[in-house]
Amino acid sequence: QVQLVESGGGSVQSGGSLRLSCVVSGNAYKQYIMGWFRRAPGKEREEVALLDTHGGLKYADSVKARFTISEDNAKNTLYLQMNSLKSEDTAMYYCAIAQGWLLREMPTQARFDYWGQGIQVTVSS
């Protein structure tokens, strides 16, 4: 059973930084996409940043140049470094994994098999 556990959220003022972490256990696939998604109040869940095992990276336009996704395979941990945070970044953030997929295949959110429980990020102006 795959489990994903997020940490690192919290409250920060506009312009500040946070780093989210997601520890993954139970994944046996050598090929996969991992990523971060978020859901703001009253909005649909959206893709924030993704990476895959073939070096692929993808960012939402709204976070490019401010957020960086990375992975530490030795620690089975996915990170999201968030800089220059804005009030519109306020949301519940989720990490997820799409086992067996690569970014070039452009999977939809439905292909992400497992999700973390989510962690709140609040940015005050």
Side-chain angles (χ1 to χ4, degrees):
Q1 179 74 9
V2 178
Q3 290 188 322
L4 298 92
V5 180
E6 301 103 336
S7 62
S11 296
V12 65
Q13 288 193 329
S14 180
S17 299
L18 282 174
R19 188 176 79 158
L20 303 183
S21 300
C22 175
V23 177
V24 185
S25 60
N27 174 42
Y29 280 72
K30 295 188 183 302
Q31 178 173 292
Y32 55 82
I33 300 169
M34 285 202 66
W36 293 95
F37 298 78
R38 66 187 180 188
R39 179 175 300 181
K43 295 187 177 181
E44 292 189 355
R45 186 173 61 196
E46 65 174 352
E47 185 181 290
V48 176
L50 305 174
L51 59 75
D52 71 18
T53 49
H54 284 210
L57 289 173
K58 184 181 179 186
Y59 291 94
D61 288 343
S62 60
V63 306
K64 280 180 182 176
R66 298 189 300 122
F67 290 11
T68 302
I69 188 172
S70 62
E71 183 179 31
D72 184 335
N73 290 320
K75 296 181 179 180
N76 293 324
T77 303
L78 181 73
Y79 300 101
L80 184 68
Q81 178 66 44
M82 305 185 293
N83 299 328
S84 302
L85 282 161
K86 306 175 181 179
S87 57
E88 50 263 45
D89 294 318
T90 294
M92 187 73 79
Y93 284 71
Y94 301 87
C95 65
I97 184 169
Q99 295 176 311
W101 289 86
L102 295 175
L103 283 173
R104 63 173 182 248
E105 297 169 301
M106 296 187 290
T108 64
Q109 287 191 30
R111 297 299 184 183
F112 284 78
D113 316 88
Y114 297 94
W115 295 77
Q117 79 285 357
I119 193 160
Q120 180 68 37
V121 171
T122 302
V123 184
S124 56
S125 56

